[in-house]
Amino acid sequence: GGRIFQKFWWYPKGMAWPMKGWSVLGDEFGSCDPSDDYCFQRMPGVMQEEGSRLLAIDDLGNSLEWEFDSSNAVAHAAFLAFTRGQTTTGTSGSAWNPTVITGSMTSAGQTRFMFREQDGVYSVLLDDNYDDCHSTLSMGHAMYNSNDCSTTYANCNIKGGVDALSDTTITGTEGSGSSCTGPATDRSE
């Protein structure tokens, strides 16, 4: 049979970044009501890492699924962030690529993960080199490397949002920098 996933995080397209949106993983699991406009909670802290999965769906028809793996540094850092809120200014390692359920994803291996503060918002980035040009998860404020935001890669004036799950070097949207696009309010996950 098919897998059953429990919805724990959502952000609707077009919604202004919430005033209490200081962290995209700021609330403990169970803090949100299904009728809430948005939800920035973590996955259950009691989850077993091995075999647990993360499903993300965006407004462009992309559905991607990751399987956590404690032997992969990138996957493990993501698990700790998504279940415990543990920050990292940058974890690199072997690619932690999702399975494409529908739509597409970038061709670049997802070898870098960050969950850190940028301009007052604790944000997530999973991509190939910490610049958000080939990301699969980009939530919160745009980030570049371990402590910056670059207008080459995103619109750094946007307080927070999400990026497409299949992000490539496309520009021309609200979150665009001069070379690619970061998180914005014109996307939803």
Side-chain angles (χ1 to χ4, degrees):
R3 291 184 186 88
I4 297 173
F5 289 89
Q6 188 163 4
K7 188 174 182 177
F8 73 96
W9 197 99
W10 59 91
Y11 178 77
K13 182 177 181 174
M15 180 180 160
W17 190 252
M19 293 300 292
K20 72 173 213 166
W22 62 273
S23 175
V24 296
L25 300 173
D27 297 320
E28 288 186 27
F29 184 78
S31 300
C32 296
D33 186 271
S35 64
D36 289 344
D37 290 336
Y38 71 95
C39 179
F40 293 168
Q41 67 184 354
R42 295 181 297 276
M43 298 169 82
V46 296
M47 283 179 60
Q48 297 295 314
E49 186 165 2
E50 300 309 316
S52 290
R53 295 170 184 262
L54 171 66
L55 174 67
I57 302 168
D58 69 17
D59 65 310
L60 298 173
N62 299 304
S63 300
L64 306 180
E65 181 183 316
W66 292 261
E67 184 172 355
F68 291 106
D69 176 359
S70 63
S71 68
N72 178 305
V74 177
H76 184 62
F79 181 80
L80 293 175
F82 276 97
T83 58
R84 297 185 179 107
Q86 184 171 313
T87 60
T88 175
T89 57
T91 299
S92 63
S94 298
W96 184 47
N97 292 328
T99 300
V100 176
I101 307 301
T102 61
S104 64
M105 69 165 268
T106 178
S107 60
Q110 302 297 283
T111 58
R112 307 287 191 272
F113 180 81
M114 290 190 286
F115 175 51
R116 65 169 180 80
E117 185 270 336
Q118 180 64 49
D119 295 333
V121 178
Y122 281 83
S123 305
V124 164
L125 178 63
L126 175 62
D127 82 340
D128 65 322
N129 65 358
Y130 301 126
D131 73 1
D132 208 355
C133 277
H134 289 278
S135 64
T136 51
L137 290 175
S138 182
M139 306 150 51
H141 198 286
M143 298 187 288
Y144 174 70
N145 287 330
S146 64
N147 64 353
D148 200 8
C149 183
S150 171
T151 57
T152 300
Y153 306 112
N155 181 344
C156 297
N157 295 319
I158 295 175
K159 185 71 173 174
V162 295
D163 197 358
L165 293 173
S166 181
D167 186 27
T168 56
T169 55
I170 296 170
T171 59
T173 62
E174 180 187 37
S176 292
S178 60
S179 293
C180 54
T181 301
T185 59
D186 63 349
R187 294 260 122 346
S188 68
E189 286 184 15

